[in-house]
Protein backbone atom coordinates (compact mmCIF):
# COMPACT_ATOMS: atom_id res chain seq x y z
CA UNK A 1 0.00 0.00 0.00
CA UNK A 2 2.88 2.38 0.83
CA UNK A 3 4.58 1.59 -2.48
CA UNK A 4 1.38 2.26 -4.45
CA UNK A 5 0.79 5.50 -2.58
CA UNK A 6 4.31 6.80 -3.25
CA UNK A 7 4.09 5.69 -6.88
CA UNK A 8 0.80 7.54 -7.44
CA UNK A 9 2.19 10.65 -5.75
CA UNK A 10 5.26 10.85 -7.95
CA UNK A 11 3.64 9.63 -11.19
CA UNK A 12 0.93 12.23 -10.86
CA UNK A 13 3.28 15.04 -9.88
CA UNK A 14 3.31 16.76 -13.29
CA UNK A 15 3.16 20.19 -11.66
CA UNK A 16 6.35 19.46 -9.74
CA UNK A 17 8.14 17.92 -12.74
CA UNK A 18 7.22 20.78 -15.10
CA UNK A 19 7.97 23.59 -12.66
CA UNK A 20 10.73 26.17 -13.20
CA UNK A 21 12.42 25.04 -9.97
CA UNK A 22 12.65 21.43 -11.15
CA UNK A 23 14.02 22.60 -14.51
CA UNK A 24 16.61 24.79 -12.81
CA UNK A 25 17.78 21.94 -10.54
CA UNK A 26 18.01 19.57 -13.49
CA UNK A 27 20.08 22.05 -15.51
CA UNK A 28 22.38 22.67 -12.54
CA UNK A 29 22.99 18.92 -12.14
CA UNK A 30 23.81 18.62 -15.84
CA UNK A 31 26.16 21.61 -15.66
CA UNK A 32 28.07 20.25 -12.64
CA UNK A 33 28.40 16.77 -14.15
CA UNK A 34 29.82 18.17 -17.41
CA UNK A 35 32.05 20.65 -15.61
CA UNK A 36 33.49 17.95 -13.35
CA UNK A 37 34.59 15.94 -16.38
CA UNK A 38 36.50 18.93 -17.79
CA UNK A 39 37.88 20.25 -14.51
CA UNK A 40 41.51 20.44 -13.35
CA UNK A 41 40.54 18.06 -10.55
CA UNK A 42 39.56 15.43 -13.12
CA UNK A 43 42.86 15.96 -14.96
CA UNK A 44 44.80 15.50 -11.71
CA UNK A 45 42.93 12.24 -11.05
CA UNK A 46 43.82 11.02 -14.56
CA UNK A 47 47.51 11.92 -14.07
CA UNK A 48 47.65 10.12 -10.71
CA UNK A 49 45.99 7.11 -12.36
CA UNK A 50 48.86 6.87 -14.85
CA UNK A 51 51.45 7.16 -12.06
CA UNK A 52 49.86 4.42 -9.94
CA UNK A 53 49.19 2.01 -12.80
CA UNK A 54 52.55 0.14 -12.39
CA UNK A 55 51.76 -0.51 -8.71
CA UNK A 56 48.44 -2.09 -9.57
CA UNK A 57 49.89 -4.15 -12.39
CA UNK A 58 52.41 -5.58 -9.86
CA UNK A 59 49.51 -6.50 -7.55
CA UNK A 60 47.79 -8.16 -10.49
CA UNK A 61 50.82 -10.39 -11.05
CA UNK A 62 51.04 -11.24 -7.33
CA UNK A 63 47.34 -12.10 -7.30
CA UNK A 64 47.94 -14.70 -9.99
CA UNK A 65 50.56 -16.53 -7.92
CA UNK A 66 49.78 -20.25 -7.27
CA UNK A 67 49.12 -19.90 -3.50
CA UNK A 68 46.74 -16.94 -3.82
CA UNK A 69 45.06 -18.46 -6.88
CA UNK A 70 44.35 -21.73 -5.00
CA UNK A 71 43.08 -19.87 -1.93
CA UNK A 72 40.79 -17.72 -4.08
CA UNK A 73 39.48 -20.77 -5.89
CA UNK A 74 38.67 -22.44 -2.58
CA UNK A 75 36.87 -19.34 -1.25
CA UNK A 76 34.82 -18.86 -4.42
CA UNK A 77 32.39 -21.53 -3.21
CA UNK A 78 32.04 -20.04 0.28
CA UNK A 79 28.39 -19.21 1.03
CA UNK A 80 29.37 -17.49 4.29
CA UNK A 81 31.75 -14.98 2.70
CA UNK A 82 29.22 -14.23 -0.02
CA UNK A 83 26.81 -13.08 2.72
CA UNK A 84 29.44 -11.38 4.89
CA UNK A 85 27.95 -7.99 3.93
CA UNK A 86 24.34 -9.05 3.45
CA UNK A 87 21.64 -8.22 6.07
CA UNK A 88 22.53 -11.42 7.93
CA UNK A 89 25.78 -9.70 8.95
CA UNK A 90 23.83 -7.52 11.40
CA UNK A 91 22.62 -10.29 13.78
CA UNK A 92 25.98 -12.05 13.46
CA UNK A 93 27.75 -8.86 14.53
CA UNK A 94 25.36 -8.47 17.47
CA UNK A 95 26.21 -11.99 18.66
CA UNK A 96 29.94 -11.33 18.25
CA UNK A 97 29.71 -7.99 20.05
CA UNK A 98 27.94 -9.38 23.12
CA UNK A 99 30.13 -12.50 23.14
CA UNK A 100 33.35 -10.43 23.20
CA UNK A 101 32.10 -8.22 26.05
CA UNK A 102 33.19 -9.43 29.47
CA UNK A 103 29.75 -9.09 31.08
CA UNK A 104 27.63 -11.59 33.01
CA UNK A 105 24.18 -11.13 31.45
CA UNK A 106 20.97 -11.69 33.36
CA UNK A 107 18.06 -13.74 31.97
CA UNK A 108 16.05 -10.65 30.97
CA UNK A 109 18.96 -9.18 29.02
CA UNK A 110 19.56 -12.44 27.15
CA UNK A 111 15.86 -12.75 26.28
CA UNK A 112 15.88 -9.14 25.06
CA UNK A 113 18.92 -9.71 22.82
CA UNK A 114 17.69 -12.97 21.29
CA UNK A 115 14.14 -11.63 20.85
CA UNK A 116 15.54 -8.67 18.91
CA UNK A 117 17.66 -10.94 16.72
CA UNK A 118 14.70 -13.27 16.07
CA UNK A 119 12.52 -10.31 15.11
CA UNK A 120 15.24 -9.05 12.75
CA UNK A 121 15.51 -12.47 11.06
CA UNK A 122 11.73 -12.54 10.57
CA UNK A 123 12.05 -9.12 8.94
CA UNK A 124 14.73 -10.44 6.57
CA UNK A 125 12.55 -13.40 5.58
CA UNK A 126 9.51 -11.14 5.11
CA UNK A 127 11.54 -8.74 2.96
CA UNK A 128 12.86 -11.60 0.81
CA UNK A 129 9.31 -12.82 0.12
CA UNK A 130 8.16 -9.33 -0.87
CA UNK A 131 11.23 -8.80 -3.07
CA UNK A 132 10.20 -11.66 -5.35
CA UNK A 133 7.21 -9.62 -6.52
CA UNK A 134 9.12 -6.36 -6.98
CA UNK A 135 11.52 -4.80 -9.44
CA UNK A 136 13.46 -1.55 -8.92
CA UNK A 137 13.35 1.39 -11.30
CA UNK A 138 15.67 4.31 -10.65
CA UNK A 139 17.98 6.44 -12.79
CA UNK A 140 21.72 6.21 -12.19
CA UNK A 141 21.94 9.99 -12.66
CA UNK A 142 19.59 10.53 -9.70
CA UNK A 143 21.78 8.47 -7.35
CA UNK A 144 24.96 10.02 -8.75
CA UNK A 145 23.61 13.57 -8.36
CA UNK A 146 22.59 12.95 -4.75
CA UNK A 147 26.01 11.44 -4.02
CA UNK A 148 27.77 14.41 -5.63
CA UNK A 149 25.72 16.87 -3.56
CA UNK A 150 26.56 14.97 -0.35
CA UNK A 151 30.27 14.96 -1.22
CA UNK A 152 30.20 18.72 -1.80
CA UNK A 153 28.40 19.26 1.53
CA UNK A 154 30.91 16.94 3.23
CA UNK A 155 33.98 18.80 2.02
CA UNK A 156 32.35 22.18 2.68
CA UNK A 157 31.64 21.17 6.29
CA UNK A 158 35.16 19.80 6.65
CA UNK A 159 36.82 23.03 5.45
CA UNK A 160 34.55 25.15 7.65
CA UNK A 161 35.48 22.97 10.63
CA UNK A 162 39.21 23.24 9.93
CA UNK A 163 38.88 26.98 9.45
CA UNK A 164 37.08 27.24 12.79
CA UNK A 165 39.69 25.38 14.89
CA UNK A 166 42.75 26.08 12.68
CA UNK A 167 44.14 22.59 13.30
CA UNK A 168 43.84 18.97 12.18
CA UNK A 169 41.64 17.20 14.79
CA UNK A 170 43.14 13.71 14.38
CA UNK A 171 46.56 15.08 15.40
CA UNK A 172 45.30 16.80 18.54
CA UNK A 173 42.80 15.30 20.98
CA UNK A 174 42.19 18.69 22.62
CA UNK A 175 41.07 20.16 19.29
CA UNK A 176 38.32 17.55 18.94
CA UNK A 177 36.62 18.91 22.06
CA UNK A 178 36.20 22.28 20.32
CA UNK A 179 34.67 20.96 17.09
CA UNK A 180 31.26 22.22 16.01
CA UNK A 181 28.68 19.38 15.87
CA UNK A 182 26.95 21.06 12.90
CA UNK A 183 30.15 21.14 10.85
CA UNK A 184 30.89 17.55 11.87
CA UNK A 185 27.50 16.42 10.60
CA UNK A 186 28.11 18.27 7.33
CA UNK A 187 31.57 16.74 6.94
CA UNK A 188 30.35 13.20 7.61
CA UNK A 189 27.92 13.53 4.71
CA UNK A 190 30.88 12.61 2.48
CA UNK A 191 30.53 9.03 3.80
CA UNK A 192 27.14 8.14 2.22
CA UNK A 193 27.99 10.48 -0.66
CA UNK A 194 30.94 8.28 -1.58
CA UNK A 195 28.73 5.15 -1.43
CA UNK A 196 26.22 6.73 -3.81
CA UNK A 197 28.87 7.81 -6.32
CA UNK A 198 30.68 4.45 -6.15
CA UNK A 199 27.46 2.57 -6.87
CA UNK A 200 26.96 4.52 -10.11
CA UNK A 201 30.61 4.69 -11.16
CA UNK A 202 30.81 3.67 -14.81
CA UNK A 203 32.10 0.11 -14.96
CA UNK A 204 35.10 -0.49 -17.17
CA UNK A 205 35.93 -3.65 -19.05
CA UNK A 206 38.74 -4.63 -16.69
CA UNK A 207 37.70 -6.79 -13.76
CA UNK A 208 40.19 -5.37 -11.26
CA UNK A 209 39.65 -2.20 -9.26
CA UNK A 210 40.28 0.84 -11.52
CA UNK A 211 42.80 3.38 -10.24
CA UNK A 212 40.30 6.22 -10.65
CA UNK A 213 37.86 4.37 -8.42
CA UNK A 214 40.53 3.86 -5.76
CA UNK A 215 41.42 7.55 -5.85
CA UNK A 216 37.75 8.43 -5.38
CA UNK A 217 37.65 6.16 -2.30
CA UNK A 218 40.76 7.82 -0.83
CA UNK A 219 39.46 11.34 -1.51
CA UNK A 220 36.05 10.53 -0.01
CA UNK A 221 37.78 9.27 3.14
CA UNK A 222 39.70 12.52 3.77
CA UNK A 223 37.08 14.43 5.88
CA UNK A 224 36.25 11.38 8.00
CA UNK A 225 39.87 10.43 8.61
CA UNK A 226 41.22 13.89 9.46
CA UNK A 227 38.35 14.58 11.87
CA UNK A 228 39.40 11.41 13.72
CA UNK A 229 36.09 9.74 14.63
CA UNK A 230 36.35 5.95 14.62
CA UNK A 231 32.60 5.38 14.25
CA UNK A 232 32.43 7.22 10.94
CA UNK A 233 35.66 5.56 9.79
CA UNK A 234 34.16 2.14 10.49
CA UNK A 235 30.93 3.05 8.66
CA UNK A 236 32.99 4.22 5.67
CA UNK A 237 35.04 1.02 5.65
CA UNK A 238 31.95 -1.24 5.78
CA UNK A 239 30.05 0.74 3.14
CA UNK A 240 32.92 0.90 0.64
CA UNK A 241 33.58 -2.84 0.96
CA UNK A 242 29.86 -3.51 0.44
CA UNK A 243 29.66 -1.52 -2.80
CA UNK A 244 32.95 -2.84 -4.19
CA UNK A 245 32.19 -6.48 -3.43
CA UNK A 246 28.66 -6.58 -4.79
CA UNK A 247 29.74 -4.67 -7.91
CA UNK A 248 32.31 -7.46 -8.43
CA UNK A 249 35.32 -5.18 -8.15
CA UNK A 250 36.55 -7.37 -5.32
CA UNK A 251 36.95 -11.15 -5.00
CA UNK A 252 35.95 -13.15 -1.93
CA UNK A 253 39.62 -13.54 -1.07
CA UNK A 254 40.16 -9.77 -1.22
CA UNK A 255 37.02 -9.17 0.88
CA UNK A 256 38.26 -11.56 3.56
CA UNK A 257 41.71 -9.95 3.43
CA UNK A 258 40.36 -6.42 3.81
CA UNK A 259 37.98 -7.47 6.60
CA UNK A 260 40.89 -8.97 8.54
CA UNK A 261 42.88 -5.80 7.87
CA UNK A 262 40.02 -3.69 9.23
CA UNK A 263 39.84 -5.75 12.44
CA UNK A 264 43.61 -5.36 12.95
CA UNK A 265 43.42 -1.59 12.39
CA UNK A 266 40.54 -1.32 14.88
CA UNK A 267 42.51 -3.20 17.56
CA UNK A 268 45.70 -1.20 16.92
CA UNK A 269 43.77 2.08 17.08
CA UNK A 270 42.14 1.03 20.36
CA UNK A 271 45.52 0.07 21.87
CA UNK A 272 47.15 3.35 20.81
CA UNK A 273 44.31 5.48 22.19
CA UNK A 274 44.36 3.59 25.51
CA UNK A 275 48.13 4.06 25.73
CA UNK A 276 47.77 7.82 25.16
CA UNK A 277 45.12 7.81 27.90
CA UNK A 278 47.71 6.32 30.28
CA UNK A 279 46.42 2.74 30.20
CA UNK A 280 48.66 -0.13 29.12
CA UNK A 281 46.71 -2.89 27.48
CA UNK A 282 47.19 -6.05 25.50
CA UNK A 283 45.39 -6.23 22.13
CA UNK A 284 42.72 -8.70 23.30
CA UNK A 285 41.78 -6.56 26.28
CA UNK A 286 41.68 -3.45 24.07
CA UNK A 287 39.33 -5.16 21.60
CA UNK A 288 36.94 -6.10 24.43
CA UNK A 289 37.25 -2.75 26.23
CA UNK A 290 34.45 -0.79 24.54
CA UNK A 291 32.03 -3.74 24.07
CA UNK A 292 32.39 -4.55 27.78
CA UNK A 293 31.53 -1.02 28.91
CA UNK A 294 28.65 -0.63 26.43
CA UNK A 295 27.10 -4.04 27.09
CA UNK A 296 27.54 -3.44 30.83
CA UNK A 297 25.43 -0.28 30.61
CA UNK A 298 22.65 -2.21 28.84
CA UNK A 299 22.72 -4.82 31.58
CA UNK A 300 22.44 -2.03 34.16
CA UNK A 301 19.43 -0.51 32.40
CA UNK A 302 17.63 -3.86 32.27
CA UNK A 303 18.40 -4.51 35.95
CA UNK A 304 16.96 -1.12 36.96
CA UNK A 305 13.91 -0.83 34.72
CA UNK A 306 13.32 -4.29 33.24
CA UNK A 307 11.51 -4.15 29.89
CA UNK A 308 9.40 -1.09 30.75
CA UNK A 309 9.07 2.07 28.70
CA UNK A 310 10.87 4.81 30.65
CA UNK A 311 11.58 7.91 28.56
CA UNK A 312 8.63 7.78 26.15
CA UNK A 313 10.46 8.88 22.99
CA UNK A 314 12.61 11.62 24.54
CA UNK A 315 15.88 9.90 23.59
CA UNK A 316 15.07 9.87 19.88
CA UNK A 317 13.62 13.39 20.04
CA UNK A 318 16.76 14.70 21.74
CA UNK A 319 18.83 13.65 18.71
CA UNK A 320 17.02 16.45 16.88
CA UNK A 321 16.08 18.98 19.59
CA UNK A 322 19.60 19.07 21.12
CA UNK A 323 20.97 20.36 17.80
CA UNK A 324 18.03 22.32 16.35
CA UNK A 325 17.11 24.65 19.20
CA UNK A 326 13.85 25.82 17.64
CA UNK A 327 12.40 22.31 18.08
CA UNK A 328 10.96 21.75 21.57
CA UNK A 329 12.48 18.88 23.49
CA UNK A 330 15.53 17.92 25.60
CA UNK A 331 18.67 20.03 25.18
CA UNK A 332 20.91 17.18 26.26
CA UNK A 333 22.18 14.77 23.61
CA UNK A 334 20.55 11.31 23.42
CA UNK A 335 23.61 9.51 24.79
CA UNK A 336 23.75 11.87 27.76
CA UNK A 337 20.16 10.91 28.60
CA UNK A 338 21.04 7.22 28.22
CA UNK A 339 23.98 7.80 30.56
CA UNK A 340 21.66 9.24 33.22
CA UNK A 341 19.41 6.18 33.15
CA UNK A 342 22.31 3.74 32.82
CA UNK A 343 23.90 5.05 36.00
CA UNK A 344 26.87 6.68 34.28
CA UNK A 345 28.25 10.17 34.81
CA UNK A 346 25.65 12.80 33.99
CA UNK A 347 28.08 15.08 32.15
CA UNK A 348 29.41 12.38 29.80
CA UNK A 349 27.61 10.72 26.91
CA UNK A 350 27.15 6.96 27.22
CA UNK A 351 26.52 4.24 24.67
CA UNK A 352 24.44 1.23 25.72
CA UNK A 353 24.02 -0.60 22.39
CA UNK A 354 21.20 -0.22 19.85
CA UNK A 355 18.84 -2.07 22.22
CA UNK A 356 18.90 0.65 24.90
CA UNK A 357 17.48 3.45 22.74
CA UNK A 358 14.38 1.45 21.79
CA UNK A 359 13.99 -0.19 25.20
CA UNK A 360 14.06 3.05 27.21
CA UNK A 361 11.87 4.97 24.78
CA UNK A 362 9.32 2.30 23.80
CA UNK A 363 9.85 -0.76 26.00
CA UNK A 364 10.20 -4.41 24.95
CA UNK A 365 7.58 -4.02 22.18
CA UNK A 366 9.56 -1.14 20.74
CA UNK A 367 12.67 -3.33 20.43
CA UNK A 368 10.70 -6.05 18.63
CA UNK A 369 9.06 -3.62 16.19
CA UNK A 370 12.27 -1.65 15.49
CA UNK A 371 14.30 -4.79 14.73
CA UNK A 372 11.51 -6.20 12.57
CA UNK A 373 11.34 -2.97 10.54
CA UNK A 374 15.13 -2.76 10.22
CA UNK A 375 15.39 -6.37 9.05
CA UNK A 376 12.61 -5.85 6.50
CA UNK A 377 14.11 -2.62 5.15
CA UNK A 378 17.64 -4.02 4.85
CA UNK A 379 16.31 -7.15 3.14
CA UNK A 380 14.32 -5.13 0.57
CA UNK A 381 17.27 -2.80 -0.11
CA UNK A 382 19.69 -5.71 -0.47
CA UNK A 383 17.50 -7.69 -2.85
CA UNK A 384 16.75 -4.62 -4.96
CA UNK A 385 20.46 -3.73 -5.14
CA UNK A 386 21.12 -7.15 -6.69
CA UNK A 387 18.72 -6.19 -9.49
CA UNK A 388 19.91 -2.58 -9.82
CA UNK A 389 23.51 -1.73 -8.86
CA UNK A 390 22.75 1.96 -8.35
CA UNK A 391 20.81 0.99 -5.20
CA UNK A 392 23.99 -0.39 -3.63
CA UNK A 393 24.70 3.16 -2.40
CA UNK A 394 21.50 3.40 -0.33
CA UNK A 395 21.88 -0.23 0.82
CA UNK A 396 25.50 0.30 1.89
CA UNK A 397 24.39 3.38 3.85
CA UNK A 398 21.66 1.46 5.66
CA UNK A 399 23.92 -1.50 6.44
CA UNK A 400 27.01 0.43 7.54
CA UNK A 401 25.18 2.71 9.98
CA UNK A 402 23.12 -0.19 11.31
CA UNK A 403 26.35 -2.12 11.96
CA UNK A 404 28.14 0.70 13.80
CA UNK A 405 24.86 1.47 15.57
CA UNK A 406 25.07 -1.87 17.37
CA UNK A 407 27.43 -0.19 19.83
CA UNK A 408 26.67 3.53 19.48
CA UNK A 409 22.96 3.38 18.69
CA UNK A 410 21.26 5.16 15.78
CA UNK A 411 20.79 8.49 17.50
CA UNK A 412 22.39 11.31 15.51
CA UNK A 413 20.49 13.76 13.32
CA UNK A 414 22.83 13.23 10.38
CA UNK A 415 22.36 9.45 10.59
CA UNK A 416 18.57 9.92 10.73
CA UNK A 417 18.82 11.92 7.49
CA UNK A 418 21.07 9.36 5.76
CA UNK A 419 18.81 6.44 6.67
CA UNK A 420 15.56 8.24 5.81
CA UNK A 421 16.94 9.42 2.46
CA UNK A 422 18.23 5.95 1.56
CA UNK A 423 14.95 4.34 2.63
CA UNK A 424 12.90 6.77 0.55
CA UNK A 425 15.06 6.12 -2.53
CA UNK A 426 14.59 2.36 -2.18
CA UNK A 427 10.83 2.65 -1.56
CA UNK A 428 10.25 5.03 -4.48
CA UNK A 429 12.20 2.73 -6.80
CA UNK A 430 9.91 -0.26 -6.17
CA UNK A 431 7.62 -1.44 -8.93
CA UNK A 432 5.36 -4.48 -8.91
CA UNK A 433 6.47 -7.19 -11.34
CA UNK A 434 4.36 -7.55 -14.45
CA UNK A 435 3.90 -10.75 -16.44
CA UNK A 436 6.42 -9.47 -19.00
CA UNK A 437 9.16 -8.86 -16.38
CA UNK A 438 8.47 -11.86 -14.15
Amino acid sequence: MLVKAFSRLFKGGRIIKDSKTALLIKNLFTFFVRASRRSIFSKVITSLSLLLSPLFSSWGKLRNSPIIAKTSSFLDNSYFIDHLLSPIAFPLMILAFFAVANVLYGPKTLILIFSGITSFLIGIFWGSLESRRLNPKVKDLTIFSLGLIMLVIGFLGFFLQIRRVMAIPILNEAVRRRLSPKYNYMAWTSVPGTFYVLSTFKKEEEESLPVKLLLLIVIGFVPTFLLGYRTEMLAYFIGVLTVLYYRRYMSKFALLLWTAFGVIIYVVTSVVRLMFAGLTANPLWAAAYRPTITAGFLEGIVMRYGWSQVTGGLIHLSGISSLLRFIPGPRYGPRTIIGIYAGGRRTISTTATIFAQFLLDFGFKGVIFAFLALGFLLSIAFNMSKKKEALLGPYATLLSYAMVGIETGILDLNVYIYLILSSIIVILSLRAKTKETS
Side-chain angles (χ1 to χ4, degrees), residues 154-345:
F155 275 91
L156 177 62
F158 171 70
F159 287 124
L160 289 173
Q161 190 73 279
I162 297 301
R163 182 186 175 189
R164 182 176 185 271
V165 298
M166 297 302 294
I168 303 298
I170 195 173
L171 302 177
N172 191 335
E173 187 71 23
V175 170
R176 291 181 57 194
R177 300 189 184 97
R178 296 189 284 113
L179 296 180
S180 166
K182 294 179 182 178
Y183 291 154
N184 274 346
Y185 288 168
M186 288 177 64
W188 291 333
T189 307
S190 62
V191 175
T194 305
F195 303 161
Y196 279 48
V197 174
L198 284 177
S199 66
T200 53
F201 192 88
K202 188 176 180 180
K203 221 166 186 180
E204 300 179 6
E205 292 182 2
E206 56 180 308
E207 294 181 0
S208 59
L209 189 64
V211 178
K212 288 184 180 180
L213 197 62
L214 183 64
L215 289 173
L216 173 62
I217 294 168
V218 173
I219 291 168
F221 188 53
V222 168
T224 303
F225 175 72
L226 294 183
L227 288 177
Y229 285 85
R230 285 182 295 175
T231 300
E232 300 297 324
M233 290 186 196
L234 187 57
Y236 190 87
F237 183 78
I238 294 171
V240 167
L241 284 185
T242 301
V243 177
L244 293 183
Y245 178 70
Y246 288 115
R247 291 203 74 191
R248 303 305 175 202
Y249 280 120
M250 183 178 289
S251 65
K252 291 182 181 180
F253 175 77
L255 175 62
L256 195 62
L257 199 66
W258 279 104
T259 302
F261 176 74
V263 172
I264 292 170
I265 291 297
Y266 175 82
V267 174
V268 170
T269 305
S270 299
V271 171
V272 170
R273 291 197 67 176
L274 287 172
M275 288 176 63
F276 277 112
L279 300 172
T280 56
N282 62 58
L284 293 177
W285 187 84
Y289 175 71
R290 288 186 65 169
T292 298
I293 293 176
T294 305
F297 279 126
L298 175 65
E299 174 65 23
I301 288 171
V302 175
M303 286 179 63
R304 286 180 177 85
Y305 310 106
W307 294 337
S308 303
Q309 173 182 317
V310 180
T311 49
L314 288 179
I315 291 174
H316 288 82
L317 176 61
S318 67
I320 304 172
S321 62
S322 62
L323 186 68
L324 305 178
R325 299 290 178 173
F326 60 87
I327 294 179
R331 299 308 172 199
Y332 291 112
R335 294 178 185 86
T336 302
I337 297 176
I338 289 176
I340 293 172
Y341 286 94
R345 294 170 62 180

